[in-house]
């Protein structure tokens, strides 16, 4: 397989149970999943090797670079000002239209206005809970 072109990936926000695209994205990355490794080593661990068991999982962050439109500034800042997670999803451009849906808090908003390029902004979201893998047709996992 040669790979899948990333063009067409969407970052969306749930508004009244309907998902709408958040700005014009140019790059989407994450969630960056990670997990703690808990040290389970004892004096009886075989051959003096450390042993580990899985600990808590961190759902990570999602970063989205967008074309910044100052007319949409209030909508973006409303996400930053809210203390409760909102529901977001990433829709991947594969044939199944795979999705990752998750609650998240906006933790970063950084607009920029370079003299030689378009207005842009970097948005950062801290995922709160397990991302749900699915498709536009329905969830793949519970």
């Amino acid at each position: 397989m040669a790979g899948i072109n990333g063009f067409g990936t969407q970052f969306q926000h749930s508004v009244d149970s309907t998902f709408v695209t958040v700005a014009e994205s140019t790059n989407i990355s994450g969630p960056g999943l990670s997990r703690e490794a808990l040290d389970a080593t004892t004096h009886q661990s075989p051959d003096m090797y450390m042993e580990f068991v899985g600990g808590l999982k961190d759902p990570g962050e999602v970063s989205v670079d967008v074309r910044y439109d100052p007319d949409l500034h209030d909508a973006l800042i409303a996400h930053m000002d809210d203390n409760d997670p909102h529901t977001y999803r990433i829709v991947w451009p594969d044939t199944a239209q795979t999705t990752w849906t998750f609650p998240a808090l906006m933790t970063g908003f950084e607009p920029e206005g370079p003299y030689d390029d378009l207005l842009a902004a970097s948005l950062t979201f801290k995922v709160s809970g397990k991302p749900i893998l699915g498709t536009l047709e329905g969830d793949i996992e519970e």
Side-chain angles (χ1 to χ4, degrees), residues 27-99:
N27 188 50
I28 302 167
S29 63
L33 308 176
S34 65
R35 141 181 246 171
E36 291 182 7
L38 303 176
D39 188 346
T41 308
T42 68
H43 288 290
Q44 291 74 37
S45 293
D47 299 317
M48 296 179 58
Y49 275 90
M50 294 179 75
E51 298 176 287
F52 297 89
V53 296
L56 293 175
K57 300 170 193 170
D58 183 344
E61 293 183 336
V62 172
S63 298
V64 183
D65 295 331
V66 299
R67 294 288 176 226
Y68 179 54
D69 180 349
D71 290 337
L72 301 176
H73 181 85
D74 290 346
L76 291 172
I77 290 301
H79 290 245
M80 180 64 110
D81 287 342
D82 199 341
N83 290 328
D84 296 322
H86 290 256
T87 301
Y88 299 93
R89 79 176 174 192
I90 298 171
V91 180
W92 302 102
D94 59 337
T95 55
Q97 292 187 297
T98 302
T99 61

Side-chain angles (χ1 to χ4, degrees), residues 98-120:
T98 302
T99 61
W100 267 24
T101 305
F102 47 87
L105 296 167
M106 181 186 265
T107 58
F109 172 74
E110 185 176 348
E112 66 177 351
Y115 76 90
D116 61 348
D117 204 353
L118 301 174
L119 293 178

